Each structure stands twice: as C-alpha cells, then as structure tokens.
Amino acid sequence: MLEIVRVPVLSDNYVWLVHEAQSGETLVVDPAVAAPVLAAAEARGWTITQIWNTHWHPDHVGGNAEIKAATGCVITGPIGEAERIPTLDAHVRGGDIVHLGKLFATVIDVPAHTAGHIAYHFESEHAAFVGDTLFAMGCGRLFEGTAAQMFDNMRKLEALGDDTVIYCAHEYTLSNARFAVTVEPKNADLTARMVDVIALRERGEATVPTTIALERATNPFMRATSVEELAARRAAKDAA
C-alpha cells in the first residue's frame, strides 16, 4: 500500500518519499534539503503532508522549515531531541504510534548515533526507516551513545524479521563492504554481496534499501556476538 521513492541529495544522503495512495498522504523521512524533495513530490502529483525525523543532525532535518513553509505539513520527531529540532510539531518516543493515512508505524528507540535517535516501523508493510542506526553492512558512528546501546539496537532491528526492508539514509555500502570483508574474509555471502555492490556502484546505481536477512548474513555489526566485539569492530571501522 506504500509507494516509496528514493531522493538522492547532497553527496551521499537519501531522503525517502512515502506515499499512501488511499488517503493521498505523502510523508518525507529525514529531509536534508528541501528543493529536490519538493520537486520529486510535484513530479508525481503528490502533496507532502508529513515529515518524520529520526534524529537531529542537520543532514536529516535541514529541509524541514522550507518544506513546511511550502506545504503546511506536520513534522514529527524524537522527544529526546526536541530542543535540537525546533521545527517539530509532534514529539514521539519508543512505543508510540504514528499514522500515514490508515497505515501506522511503531516508533523504536535506537540511541547511540545520537542520544535520542528513533526508527519508524510499518509492520504491515514490512518496512522500517532507520536513519543512521543501521546501514547496508554497517552501523552509525557512536557519537552520543555506547556500543552497548548499538548492540541492543541490532537486536531490536533483527527482531523485526528477515523480510523487513530497511530504508537507511546514506549510500555508504561500498565503504562498509570493504571493511566487512576484512572482518569476515571467509563469509561467502559477504564476498558475493561485495561483488554485487561494486557492480551497482560502477553503474551509478543505489545499493539500498536492504533487508534484515541480508544484514544478518553480511553485516559485521549485526553479526557481532557481544558488545565488546561490536565495540572493537566500530573502533576499527572508525580508524579505517
């Protein structure tokens, strides 16, 4: 029931346009900038009615004010970061429900990249918008949280089920893959995925969204078996 469109902006960001046809509502997830997002919606005849933010970083909220001025949309984001996102109209936390037309998503607390980071999970649509928490073969840097929190995040997202499609906010996959193969050089699934990713990027094609199944098989952070192992892998990736 959802039509989801990827809008590439800046150097490697993805903004997601999410359209629910029955109601005619259109949602923007994490607009870094406004103009390309407004243009993408207009090209499809869609009217933006909502923005959902996952965290406060400027490359996720930078388009909020301009899109709201152009459309009158309602902006929802994490209550824990309300002071850092002054454009918010509605504040949510883990366990809350947000609606797009007749569909609803559950808010999941996923702190670590930022202290109040959240994700949005449409269970009925097998889709989750995770901001900078989980990437294809990667995870977000631990700017405001701990490895223990990120390890817990991996368990929460893993529990959404293998068929859940993961919409993250950056095209980091090739860099992540190059690191991942150093962690698990004998992982055949990972080696095969690396080949696929190289081919996609050589053609200038996107490598996301991904799925929980793919990440369980190839993501060194989701595959970490302890907090200490995840912490060591994150430190090594940061230094790479």
Side-chain angles (χ1 to χ4, degrees), residues 137 180 184 187 189-190 193 213-220 223:
M137 289 180 281
E184 291 191 280
N187 183 331
D189 291 330
L190 178 51
R193 191 177 184 191
L214 265 175
E215 299 316 305
R216 287 182 63 244
T218 63
N219 187 316
R223 291 171 62 80

Side-chain angles (χ1 to χ4, degrees), residues 11-163:
S11 61
D12 56 28
N13 276 72
Y14 291 131
V15 179
W16 300 101
L17 269 181
V18 185
H19 183 68
E20 200 281 299
Q22 186 173 359
S23 66
E25 280 211 70
T26 302
L27 160 70
V28 184
V29 181
D30 284 347
V33 294
V37 179
L38 291 166
E42 183 178 5
R44 291 165 174 81
W46 296 349
T47 299
I48 294 170
T49 57
Q50 296 190 60
I51 292 172
W52 293 354
N53 294 142
T54 62
H55 64 293
W56 69 266
H57 284 167
D59 63 327
H60 292 255
V61 303
N64 279 11
E66 188 176 339
I67 294 173
K68 182 169 184 173
T71 65
C73 66
V74 175
I75 305 176
T76 299
I79 192 168
E81 301 187 353
E83 291 186 0
R84 305 181 88 167
I85 316 176
T87 48
L88 293 182
D89 300 303
H91 308 129
V92 293
R93 56 171 55 86
D96 286 347
I97 301 295
V98 286
H99 290 86
L100 183 67
K102 292 185 177 179
L103 299 180
F104 68 89
T106 303
V107 177
I108 305 170
D109 285 327
V110 284
H113 182 65
T114 66
H117 201 304
I118 58 175
Y120 301 91
H121 176 222
F122 285 97
E123 183 176 8
S124 65
E125 308 305 301
H126 307 283
F129 296 88
V130 299
D132 287 356
T133 294
L134 177 65
F135 296 118
M137 289 180 281
C139 73
R141 286 177 179 259
L142 307 178
F143 287 130
E144 298 178 5
T146 66
Q149 287 175 318
M150 188 61 80
F151 185 81
D152 187 49
N153 294 341
M154 294 300 102
R155 306 289 74 77
K156 290 178 183 178
L157 296 175
E158 185 178 46
L160 300 183
D162 280 357
D163 60 347

Side-chain angles (χ1 to χ4, degrees), residues 12 135-139 141 170-183 190 193-194 197-198 201 207-208 218-221 233-234 236-240:
D12 56 28
F135 296 118
M137 289 180 281
C139 73
R141 286 177 179 259
H170 290 277
E171 182 57 70
Y172 289 164
T173 311
L174 184 55
S175 170
N176 289 342
R178 287 171 174 157
F179 172 74
V181 296
T182 69
V183 176
L190 178 51
R193 191 177 184 191
M194 177 81 170
V197 167
I198 290 171
R201 296 310 292 155
T207 63
V208 297
T218 63
N219 187 316
F221 302 100
R233 292 177 178 184
R234 186 64 257 180
K237 178 67 168 66
D238 292 346

